[in-house]
Amino acid sequence: MSTTDRAGHRARAAIGQDGLVDDSGMPRFRRVWSTIQVGVLAAAVVFCVVMLVIGQGKLDRVYAVAAVFFGLALVGHATYLWLLARSRR
């Protein structure tokens, strides 16, 4: 099965166990899902930082830990998308 990408080049897509697979060997839904997660994680980090800035008393430690946790997950997903885009060039 072949498809055409944005630049008009023919890209091969195979059908794997998890459905359509792109040239990187990963199912296409993983790229879409990772993109969605980047948006949700970015919103979570911004929310935690805002809650830390306005101050919520006893929950400051919770928001600080959550901001670090969500931030690390955001870096991981953003790195995956960056590496995926870099490998396509």
Side-chain angles (χ1 to χ4, degrees), residues 22 24 26 30-32 34-36 38 73-89:
D22 60 8
S24 69
M26 298 298 284
R30 289 195 183 163
R31 179 180 45 93
V32 173
S34 203
T35 303
I36 292 168
V38 164
L74 177 62
V75 168
H77 282 286
T79 302
Y80 168 74
L81 291 174
W82 176 72
L83 290 172
L84 193 61
R86 185 175 170 204
S87 71
R88 288 184 175 193
R89 285 192 261 165

Side-chain angles (χ1 to χ4, degrees), residues 7-10 13 23 25 35 42 65 69-70 72-74 82 85:
H9 298 97
R10 298 292 270 176
D23 289 336
T35 303
V65 170
F69 177 77
F70 291 141
L72 289 173
L74 177 62
W82 176 72

